[in-house]
Every structure is written in structure tokens, then in C-alpha cells.
Amino acid sequence: MIALKELIEKPISGDWGIEGENVNVLRTTNFQNNGLINFENVVKRNVPEKVIKQKKLLRGDIIIEKSGGSPTQPVGRVVFFDTTGEYICNNFTSILRPKKDLIDSKYLHYILFANHKIGITEKFQNKTTGIINLQLSRFIENIQIPLPPLEIQKHIAQILNDAAALRDKTAQLIKECDALAQSIFLDMFGDPAFNYNNFPEQELVSLVRSSNDIKCGPFGTQLSKSEYVESGVPIWGIPQINSSFVKKPTEYITSEKSKTLEQYSVFPNDILMSRKGNVGTCSIYPKNWELGILHSDALRIRCDENKVNPVFLIWQFRISRSLIVQINNVSSGAIMAGINVSKLKNIRPIVPPITLQNQFAEKIALIEQQKELAKQELKESEDLFNCLLQKAFKGELT
């Protein structure tokens, strides 16, 4: 094991410059949690040419996050710079430049990535005035790197590259499933914002059997945290909605308590929507799942399926710029936006013939089947990558 400080040049701090457009500047918003850089929203700034020359990123550099983070995402993420062009990184990051006669750049990146993933990097962070900072000097002094011969390092990096490529290819397939679903929607119904097909528009409340079918979850006077139990009837909230119910609930109430909250029940095919924070994000409660209860930060739309198919409606919520604007207009809050449920009932989606909506839902069901298979493959490929990464970190991968 060799100290990181022996394997890299002196760290190069980033620079933010001033308003202008003479150089590309990478920020932590360009960091992806798989260790890659997202180049889609790179900002341009004015930075003196002398500074650019000193701080310009070179292919094979590792960029480390030294300010930012959150309770669920510790500071210290690393990404690998593997392109050409004139780029620097901002002042919340630093460049770690490997000594290539001692260590393979990609191998080092994977070892540092593993350090962050398993929580070692977290030991070198501190929090001041609400910002989490990485103690970079102490990190570089103390982090130990397994150092097999250079050829073995390159071999290990290639094994991990191949495993990462498999994982990323499967993740891309899932994205393509969503893109296909969106394409089918637009092909069948057009852009709802323009409604060239002249489908009727109806108030949302007219598409449910009762106005109470559009309802937000119970508030503190009806359900307090002191009534939560370790298991029982699940409470479904924003984390579950945002993950399309992949994330499991962490809060439960007793069956007896749930009977007093039946008006806030959640059944299969209900649309659940986040009404705070990232307002408007929504998912359909899966078929064959047991009864649940709404969280106070969520709302439920229980469709009259003789009038509107929930699969069609949820995709309209996701795609229609018109509906997105309408939802934003019925949201308010000085600190955190929240949907006004009474006003939400008056938003006006397009309502094509139900037979056409059902045809769309059938096509989406086929796509979802393929997507579920891809999700299982993704889990398996992520498990493989993580297993190999852990072996590399322990010096067991050769």
C-alpha cells in the first residue's frame, strides 16, 4: 500500500473566473455518480489565459469534489476526464494528476471511486456553515492505495472498464424504453400543448368518480410520527414516487390506525404525485400490491377508468408542457413549492377516446415488460461491477 500523495502531482485547484465565454468550466453538477462526466450542460467563463494554462485539464486527470455533498451523498466524489478540448474545473473541485510512471490513471480513479462508495472518503469531510467540505490535504496524506505492477493495474482497469460498460449499456436500454414510450405517445396523440388532433380538454375533477378521489395525504392532526410502527401498513411518499416504487417504504402504521384513514388509502392503478419539492412527479401504484396510505407530502388521483386510462394520464403528466405549466401554476410556497389540491382539480388534460388511450396503455405494458427485464439485468451488472470493484480495492483482483 502506498500513500496517495506519492502517486500524484501537487493537486491543482479549480477556478470560476468571471462572466464570459473563453473556456469550458466543469462543475460538480457535471459529475455523474458512476464516475463519468456529463458534458451536456458545461458552462463557459472568462479565465485569464495564464490561469487556463496552469489549470487546464489533461486526458487521464481525476477531478475530485471538495465542497458540496449532502447527508445522503458525502462530498469527495471523483470523475475521470477522458476527452480533448480546453476545460478547467471550478473552485469547488481540484485536479488529481496521476504520476503515470507509477500508476495507471484509470486504475487510480477506480480505487478512489471505491473509497468514496464504501464510505472511507466520508471520514475526511467536515461541515461549516451548512456546506460539507473535503479535507483534501489530509485525504491525500492518509489514503492508501494498493499498488501492483503497472501492467497488472492496467489489466484490472480493463476488467472494471468492461464491467462498467455492461452496466452502462443496460442502463441506456432502460432510458431507450422510456424514449420509445414517449415517441409512441406523441405519434398517437401529438403534442398536447398544441393539440392538433382537437381532442377535448376536460377538468381533471371530471375524470374521477368523486372529487375526493383527488386527495392529499393526512396531516399531523390525523397522523403523527409517534403513531409510526416498525412494520404494518406502508405509508407511500415522495421517495417511493420518485423511484416509481422501487424504493421501499420506511414508515408504517398499524392496521387498526389505517382503518381510521381509509379516505387516504392507496390502491393499484392509483396515480400518486409529489405535491412538494419536485412537484408533479408521479407514478402509478403497481398492480397486485397491498393497501397503502398516502404520506402528507403526496397526493392521489384515482381515475374513472371509463373516462381516462391512468397509464395515458401519467404519460401526459410527464410529457405535456401544457400540463407541466398548469401544475406549476397551482403550486405555491415561499420556501418550498406545494400543489394546491383544490386548484389541481381544475387543470385540463386532453382526453382522447378511451379506446385509443387503452391501445396506448397496451403498448406501454409491453415496453414495461422489457424494461423490467432490463432492470433485472442492470441489478446483476451493478452487482458484478461492485464485486469486482471491492476486490480491486482489497488488492484481490489480478
Side-chain angles (χ1 to χ4, degrees):
M1 303 287 277
I2 304 294
L4 177 59
K5 67 177 181 178
E6 303 295 337
L7 301 173
I8 61 173
E9 308 290 347
K10 182 180 178 181
I12 302 169
S13 59
D15 199 293
W16 185 231
I18 60 174
E19 195 170 325
E21 295 191 347
N22 78 328
V23 69
N24 298 302
V25 181
L26 297 174
R27 302 167 290 167
T28 54
T29 51
N30 300 113
F31 282 36
Q32 298 183 141
N33 288 339
N34 60 2
L36 302 178
I37 298 171
N38 181 350
F39 288 96
E40 289 183 1
N41 295 300
V42 177
V43 299
K44 287 183 175 287
R45 301 281 290 176
N46 264 359
V47 177
E49 289 296 334
K50 181 180 178 181
V51 175
I52 294 174
K53 187 175 180 180
Q54 294 169 344
K55 299 178 183 288
K56 179 181 175 180
L57 281 155
L58 303 178
R59 176 169 272 172
D61 282 346
I62 298 164
I63 310 173
I64 187 165
E65 172 191 47
K66 61 184 184 182
S67 289
S70 70
T72 58
Q73 180 176 277
V75 71
R77 291 179 297 162
V78 290
V79 292
F80 190 73
F81 185 78
D82 193 21
T83 190
T84 56
E86 200 159 68
Y87 291 85
I88 66 171
C89 55
N90 77 348
N91 51 322
F92 283 2
T93 62
S94 283
I95 300 169
L96 305 182
R97 183 161 293 159
K99 295 178 179 177
K100 295 186 179 180
D101 58 328
L102 296 177
I103 192 161
D104 179 74
S105 297
K106 193 63 178 172
Y107 170 81
L108 178 59
H109 170 252
Y110 279 127
I111 297 299
L112 295 178
F113 182 84
N115 269 275
H116 184 268
K117 191 173 184 68
I118 66 179
I120 291 176
T121 306
E122 191 172 355
K123 298 174 183 177
F124 298 91
Q125 70 177 24
N126 65 348
K127 185 175 181 181
T128 56
T129 62
I131 298 175
I132 301 174
N133 297 310
L134 178 69
Q135 298 170 336
L136 185 60
S137 297
R138 194 164 69 88
F139 175 81
I140 291 168
E141 288 274 343
N142 288 278
I143 288 294
Q144 298 290 309
I145 307 295
L147 196 69
L150 199 54
E151 285 306 310
I152 293 179
Q153 294 175 36
K154 291 178 180 179
H155 176 65
I156 292 170
Q158 188 57 54
I159 292 173
L160 290 168
N161 281 342
D162 292 342
L166 176 62
R167 174 202 63 195
D168 296 342
K169 182 179 179 181
T170 310
Q172 182 60 33
L173 178 59
I174 293 171
K175 290 182 180 179
E176 288 172 1
C177 285
D178 289 337
L180 177 59
Q182 180 170 332
S183 177
I184 291 172
F185 183 98
L186 294 173
D187 184 58
M188 293 182 69
F189 306 109
D191 187 339
F194 298 103
N195 194 16
Y196 292 129
N197 293 310
N198 293 316
F199 294 125
E201 296 180 359
Q202 293 180 226
E203 288 186 344
L204 187 62
V205 71
S206 71
L207 302 176
V208 297
R209 288 188 173 89
S210 162
S211 63
N212 282 333
D213 286 338
I214 304 174
K215 195 169 189 67
C216 64
F219 291 94
T221 54
Q222 298 158 306
L223 177 62
S224 66
K225 289 191 174 182
S226 64
E227 296 177 283
Y228 291 171
V229 293
E230 290 187 3
S231 63
V233 178
I235 299 173
W236 298 99
I238 291 175
Q240 291 76 42
I241 295 169
N242 288 348
S243 70
S244 296
F245 297 102
V246 171
K247 285 188 176 179
K248 301 303 179 186
T250 57
E251 298 168 337
Y252 301 86
I253 56 174
T254 63
S255 177
E256 290 74 16
K257 181 62 181 179
S258 72
K259 290 175 184 177
T260 71
L261 300 171
E262 285 184 348
Q263 60 181 317
Y264 305 105
S265 61
V266 177
F267 293 129
N269 265 12
D270 283 351
I271 295 175
L272 270 61
M273 180 182 288
S274 168
R275 73 178 199 90
K276 286 187 178 179
N278 189 18
V279 295
T281 300
C282 49
S283 294
I284 293 178
Y285 193 63
K287 293 180 180 179
N288 304 318
W289 282 29
E290 296 180 0
L291 168 77
I293 296 294
L294 277 174
H295 191 280
S296 60
D297 289 342
L299 62 85
R300 177 199 67 213
I301 302 170
R302 182 169 293 157
C303 299
D304 180 346
E305 295 187 34
N306 293 315
K307 297 177 181 178
V308 65
N309 188 298
V311 174
F312 164 77
L313 185 58
I314 201 169
W315 275 97
Q316 189 175 173
F317 279 132
R318 292 171 179 172
I319 291 172
S320 172
R321 288 169 291 172
S322 173
L323 276 191
I324 291 169
V325 168
Q326 290 181 63
I327 289 172
N328 287 337
N329 287 341
V330 299
S331 303
S332 60
I335 298 174
M336 180 181 287
I339 293 177
N340 182 308
V341 179
S342 297
K343 292 181 179 179
L344 179 71
K345 295 177 181 180
N346 299 323
I347 68 171
R348 299 176 65 84
I350 62 168
V351 188
I354 190 64
T355 53
L356 196 60
Q357 296 181 43
N358 291 341
Q359 288 172 21
F360 170 76
E362 289 171 4
K363 294 179 180 181
I364 295 302
L366 293 175
I367 292 173
E368 287 296 325
Q369 289 176 13
Q370 295 302 312
K371 191 173 172 181
E372 284 305 311
L373 292 174
K375 284 180 178 179
Q376 182 58 39
E377 290 179 12
L378 179 60
K379 183 181 183 305
E380 292 170 0
S381 60
E382 284 178 336
D383 289 346
L384 173 62
F385 175 79
N386 290 334
C387 177
L388 293 170
L389 187 68
Q390 191 172 52
K391 285 187 174 182
F393 176 77
K394 293 179 178 178
E396 298 173 355
L397 186 62
T398 57

